[in-house]
Each structure stands twice: as structure tokens, then as C-alpha cells.
Amino acid sequence: MVVPQIFGALAVHFFAPHVRYFMNPPPNNRIVVLDTTLRDGEQSPGASMNKEQKLQLAHALRDLGVDVLEVGFPVSSPGDFDAAQTIARKVEGISICGLCRCHFNDITTSYEALKDAPKKRLHLFLATSPLHREFKLQMDKEEVLRRSIEAIQKARELFDDIQFSTEDGSRTEEDYLCEVVERAIEAGATTINIPDTVGYITPEEYSNCFKSLRKHVRGIDKVVLSVHCHNDLGMAVANSLMGLRAGARQIECTINGIGERAGNAALEEVVMALCTRKDFWGLETNIKTERLYPTSRLVSAITGLAIARNKAIVGQNAFAHESGIHQHGMLRHRGTYEVMRPEDVGISKTHLVLGKHSGRHSLRQRLLDLGFSLSDEQLDAVFADFKLLADKKKEVFDADLEALVSGRIAAVMTPVWALESYHLVSGTQDSPTAGVTLKHRNGFSKSASATGDGSVEAVYRAIEKATGIAVHLKDYQVSAVSVGEDALGYVTVEIIHGAQTYVARSASVDVIEASTVAFLDAINRIAALLEEASEKKVDSKSP
């Protein structure tokens, strides 16, 4: 009788906990947020960032409460490697992640870039769908599986935290996807991501994909499942949420939803959906929601990508009410037409904040309230801009301050060309003629003049002549930042040079000045890259 008693006791000891787990799994409502604004977001046309801008944004995303920060594709270029290495060394309190293909050189290069980070992750990916296997990779199922396993095993020699992504996983055969995921877990992956790479899947299908993995893959409970959705059909946020509901516990997203083509799932939309409807989703994140709005504006300033007025959560109209019925309801109870408070996402209710007699300390404090933490050098520059603006405007609004900061943040840190002066002659009888004088960072100046069909075109042609850089103007937009006759004019330009797109913005009460500064900023991005390439070419010829 002793043996059965012992066996029974062992059975209770070893098996009962697992039975309890499957019958009543422990609560797991914490969502890991992986932000890929610095990697996938930067792949938006015109959204390239320099190292200083990436570092500034990395600190902001850390302060926002992001858990994992994907900082780039280290092997893709020396610039990406340098930025990833700098962030790994200077941004603490967050896991720093680098993307790489299933190539050994990619893995070792990523390790060199990230090795100084206290917490680091390697993100491996390989396409698994029939379309990608046949036409992009020209590999069969066995080869894709072998490459994936070998890469994960190699990565295990250098990293403890390894994420594996089945690129185009949402269009991969169910049985094969389960097989790849199971073998990846056996090889040592700690996070498994199933991307909807081209935004093709529907919310129900995506949910069923995760349910299938959880049902058929051995060891699935040992890893974190992740969602990564693109917005080609406008379903990135919906798909992401349904993936989380089906058991995924990590979401990959970007600020403002920027990214390839139509973009990624917007971090602020997913987070506020979880927060506002916690009664339905039952999930939570570490995101400090009151920092969403300032972080959104920072990303817009750095990338030059404007935020649509009707953008959910952070758009200018998100908490605006014009309809008389809506306004009446809001006066009675704000819940009638607002499901969240503007303060919850960091939108200030203060409008008029400073005047021409305000000091540097007051400006710094107001900018901190708006979510902008500037260095002393940046603050000095913004303060000088603020004083000039305050002399021109009767009222200075938060939006004006954001525009001033955006201009300073978006500018190339060490511009190749600085604007010394410009002049413009225009009239009803004459073609507009513009002249500019630019100073190169090496100390010499260049002047040029040109005519155009309009004043802005004349200035732009003069800048092209002075710098020797010819571009195609793809888009030009002007909008008012605040209200009143003396409102700041916000100019956004999008130019093309070679195969690359560059976006820049500037604000001023003088639209021509704003147009000039924005265009010159975009030209400076090109000039910096050209000079860098020239220097590398010279170095390569050195003995």
C-alpha cells in the first residue's frame, strides 16, 4: 500500500499544478510594448533620422514607458550601426533590440553594436509564406527551416533574449507555420512574432492564427507571442488587438503609426484602446499615457511627417467639437462625446502661456510641461527664437512653442549650409527674383540669385544654385499653427534627390522665411550625406 500512496503523492505534486494551469491559467494581462519607430518607422519615405535625433527620440520613448526599443538594422549601413551602438551605450532602463537576417554576419554585427547595452535583444527574421519562399528567397520549406534554426542557435551563443519573426507569417500555411514556430522554440527563441507584413489578414483570421499556434505547437507556453501588423487595408490596430486577445503578449508598433507604405499599428491608438476599454480587453501596459501627445509631436518634428488633423488620439481634431449638438452635450457632461480626457494623453488645456516679457526659466518649465526636455544649447536657440516671435505676436500659444521646438529638433545638428540672408523682389509686372547668401560650415559663403514662376520657386532655385544640389519638389504645404492674423505659418516640403525622399518643416510668421528654412533643412540632409560619402571615398583610396 505504501507504493501506491507514494505514487499518488508524486502524481499530485508533479501533475496537479499543470492540471490547475490548463483548467485555470494564472492571470497574464501585462502587454510588452516593442516600439519600432526607429527601425520600421524610419523606413517611411522621407523619415530618415540622424544619430543625434535617434538618440533624443530613444530617450523620449524610454520615458514613455516602452519595454523594448528596436533601434535599427545594424548591418544595413555604418550609420545604422553607429546609431544603434550609441543608443545601446547611452539609454538605460530599457531593452535595446537590433534587427537582422538569418545570416551569421548580421548576428555578429548586431552583437557588436548592442553588446554594451545592459539589456539587449536580437530580432531575427526569415520569410515563410509560399510567395516569399518562391519569388524572394528561392528556397523550399526545408531550407527556410534549416536557415532559421541555424541562425537562432548561432544567436544563442551571443544573446539570451532572441526574437524570431516569420516574415509574412499571416500568409503562411497553417501546418508549416506551426512547424517553423515549434522548431524555433526548440532552437532557443524566447519571443515568437507572427507579422502581418503586408496588412492583408483580417482580425478574425489573425486571432485564429494565434489560437492555432497555442493549440498545436509544443512549448508555446514557454515563449512570448508577438503581433506586428501593417496598415495597408487600414486594419493594423484592429488586427493587433485581436492578436492580443487571442494570447499574444507583445505588440510591435510605432508612434503615429509611421512605417513602410501605409505604416504600422499606431502605438498611441493600441495603448489607449486597451486603457479606455480595459473592461473589455482586460490588458494593460507600462506606457505613461500622458506622454503620448508630446512624444507624437517629437516624432513628427524629427521625421517631418505631419500628423493628420483627424488622426485618432493625437490629431488636432481628436478633442475638438464644432457641432452645436456636440457642444451642448459636452457642456452637460464631457462623457457624451469624449471617451477619454485630453489630459490622459498629454494634451494641455492651457492655450496662452507666455509673452515677450517671459524669461528663460519660464520657457523651460512650459516646454517641460509640453513634454520637451532640451539641452542648454537647444534651449538657448529656442529662447532666442521665442523672443523674436514674441516681438511679432501679441499672443504666444502652446502650438507656437511646439512649432519653434520642432524646427530646432528637426534641423540637422551641424548643418552644412546656414542661411545668412535672403531677399526677394516680386510684383504684378515682373517675374519673382530671389537672392540668397549661404555660409558653409567650413567658413566660406556662397551667393546666388534666380527667378521663378512664384516667390517660393525663385528662392528654391537660388538655394539649389548656391549649394549645387538640384532636387525635385514633390510636395509643398502651408498651414496655420495657431489662431489670429499673426499666426505662425507651418511649411512642410517633400523633395526627391536620386531615389531618396526627404521631408522637412519650419514655422514662422513670415511664410517665405518658413519656406526657405524648411527647404534648406532638406537640402542640408542631402548635403551631409554627400559629404560623408565623399569623405569615405577619399579614405578608401588612402594607402
Side-chain angles (χ1 to χ4, degrees):
M1 294 296 292
V2 175
V3 173
Q5 289 175 351
I6 294 175
F7 180 79
L10 290 173
V12 170
H13 178 74
F14 287 106
F15 298 114
H18 299 284
V19 171
R20 287 196 300 270
Y21 176 84
F22 288 112
M23 293 296 291
N24 185 25
N28 180 19
N29 63 348
R30 166 78 165 79
I31 301 301
V32 175
V33 176
L34 183 153
D35 182 275
T36 184
T37 304
L38 292 171
R39 199 274 302 172
D40 207 336
E42 197 196 15
Q43 292 172 206
S44 298
S48 59
M49 313 174 208
N50 61 39
K51 181 176 69 175
E52 291 82 2
Q53 291 166 340
K54 285 187 174 183
L55 182 61
Q56 183 173 19
L57 185 51
H59 279 111
L61 292 168
R62 187 271 315 276
D63 295 342
L64 178 63
V66 165
D67 301 289
V68 184
L69 186 62
E70 190 166 58
V71 295
F73 198 164
V75 78
S76 65
S77 71
D80 253 32
F81 181 94
D82 188 28
Q85 187 177 63
T86 300
I87 293 171
R89 290 174 174 174
K90 295 187 176 183
V91 181
E92 299 178 349
I94 190 172
S95 180
I96 307 299
C97 175
L99 181 73
C100 70
R101 299 163 298 181
C102 287
H103 296 172
F104 287 1
N105 181 57
D106 284 29
I107 295 169
T108 55
T109 300
S110 294
Y111 176 74
E112 288 301 316
L114 305 179
K115 65 182 180 181
D116 295 325
K119 295 172 64 179
K120 51 187 170 289
R121 172 184 292 192
L122 185 70
H123 183 183
L124 290 162
F125 74 94
L126 189 60
T128 55
S129 70
L131 200 62
H132 281 238
R133 293 196 310 261
E134 180 180 356
F135 294 102
K136 188 180 80 170
L137 300 177
Q138 296 183 325
M139 296 181 188
D140 58 21
K141 290 182 178 180
E142 290 71 24
E143 178 69 5
V144 169
L145 194 57
R146 183 184 67 81
R147 291 280 188 95
S148 302
I149 294 169
E150 289 179 351
I152 295 171
Q153 290 173 337
K154 173 65 177 178
R156 288 290 296 174
E157 299 173 6
L158 300 171
F159 293 86
D160 295 324
D161 188 2
I162 299 170
Q163 174 170 320
F164 179 71
S165 288
T166 58
E167 185 185 4
D168 206 27
S170 61
R171 295 194 293 177
T172 300
E173 308 95 315
E174 182 178 349
D175 290 345
Y176 182 59
L177 183 64
C178 288
E179 181 182 6
V180 173
V181 169
E182 188 168 302
R183 297 293 298 278
I185 294 171
E186 291 173 354
T190 52
T191 297
I192 298 292
N193 176 40
I194 311 298
D196 183 29
T197 302
V198 292
Y200 178 77
I201 206 166
T202 65
E204 184 177 2
E205 289 174 316
Y206 202 48
S207 174
N208 289 337
C209 176
F210 284 96
K211 290 177 181 177
S212 174
L213 292 174
R214 295 180 67 197
K215 181 178 180 181
H216 296 113
V217 175
R218 289 177 296 180
I220 199 71
D221 57 315
K222 299 177 183 177
V223 299
V224 174
L225 290 175
S226 180
V227 297
H228 180 116
C229 299
H230 281 262
N231 206 40
D232 298 69
L233 293 176
M235 294 187 287
V237 170
N239 282 333
S240 298
L241 290 169
M242 289 302 290
L244 298 179
R245 190 165 176 80
R249 287 297 175 264
Q250 175 177 283
I251 179 168
E252 303 179 22
C253 43
T254 62
I255 299 296
N256 299 337
I258 65 173
E260 288 273 16
R261 304 179 311 281
N264 293 48
L267 182 150
E268 63 277 1
E269 294 180 24
V270 174
V271 166
M272 289 311 296
L274 295 177
C275 182
T276 304
R277 292 303 312 277
K278 191 174 181 179
D279 60 314
F280 178 81
W281 301 107
L283 302 171
E284 58 186 27
T285 71
N286 275 342
I287 297 297
K288 301 175 182 65
T289 62
E290 67 276 5
R291 299 196 65 84
L292 287 172
Y293 182 80
T295 307
S296 166
R297 287 303 187 268
L298 179 62
V299 169
S300 178
I302 288 176
T303 62
L305 300 178
I307 301 169
R309 294 177 67 97
N310 64 330
K311 169 74 171 66
I313 314 300
V314 294
Q316 189 173 340
N317 293 351
F319 296 93
H321 305 274
E322 185 172 339
S323 164
I325 295 174
H326 286 209
Q327 291 177 353
H328 178 72
M330 285 292 295
L331 291 173
R332 294 295 182 90
H333 191 288
R334 67 189 305 168
T336 54
Y337 289 102
E338 283 186 357
V339 297
M340 54 193 158
R341 302 182 309 159
E343 301 95 316
D344 293 339
V345 299
I347 296 179
S348 170
K349 297 185 71 175
T350 303
H351 298 293
L352 181 62
V353 291
L354 294 171
K356 66 179 182 179
H357 299 298
S358 300
R360 191 172 180 276
H361 177 75
S362 298
L363 177 64
R364 180 191 287 275
Q365 185 57 52
R366 187 61 204 142
L367 292 175
L368 286 172
D369 292 341
L370 292 172
F372 296 108
S373 179
L374 305 183
S375 66
D376 289 341
E377 183 179 355
Q378 287 175 319
L379 182 64
D380 288 342
V382 173
F383 184 64
D385 293 342
F386 163 73
K387 283 295 188 181
L388 291 174
L389 178 63
D391 283 336
K392 297 176 183 178
K393 284 177 61 69
K394 296 177 181 178
E395 300 175 333
V396 180
F397 296 87
D398 283 352
D400 296 324
L401 295 177
E402 290 174 6
L404 292 180
V405 175
S406 297
R408 287 294 175 178
I409 290 174
V412 177
M413 297 302 177
T414 53
V416 177
W417 296 99
L419 179 66
E420 283 195 332
S421 65
Y422 77 92
H423 65 270
L424 182 67
V425 178
S426 181
T428 56
Q429 303 299 322
D430 302 308
S431 297
T433 301
V436 298
T437 299
L438 307 178
K439 185 173 184 178
H440 194 275
R441 61 186 174 190
N442 289 340
F444 63 88
S445 295
K446 274 196 173 183
S447 298
S449 60
T451 60
D453 292 334
S455 300
V456 172
E457 183 182 21
V459 173
Y460 287 3
R461 286 182 176 178
I463 291 175
E464 288 179 299
K465 287 178 66 176
T467 61
I469 299 174
V471 300
H472 169 65
L473 181 63
K474 182 180 179 182
D475 193 23
Y476 171 85
Q477 296 182 16
V478 181
S479 59
V481 171
S482 51
V483 297
E485 295 179 356
D486 56 359
L488 281 178
Y490 217 154
V491 174
T492 303
V493 297
E494 184 175 350
I495 63 175
I496 297 176
H497 182 263
Q500 185 67 44
T501 301
Y502 301 85
V503 179
R505 295 193 294 169
S506 183
S508 172
V509 292
D510 184 335
V511 173
I512 300 299
E513 180 183 351
S515 301
T516 303
V517 173
F519 187 77
L520 184 58
D521 178 30
I523 290 289
N524 268 318
R525 295 170 189 247
I526 299 169
L529 292 174
L530 292 175
E531 290 200 353
E532 181 181 351
S534 177
E535 290 170 1
K536 288 180 180 177
K537 188 175 181 180
V538 172
D539 290 341
S540 67
K541 294 181 179 179
S542 300

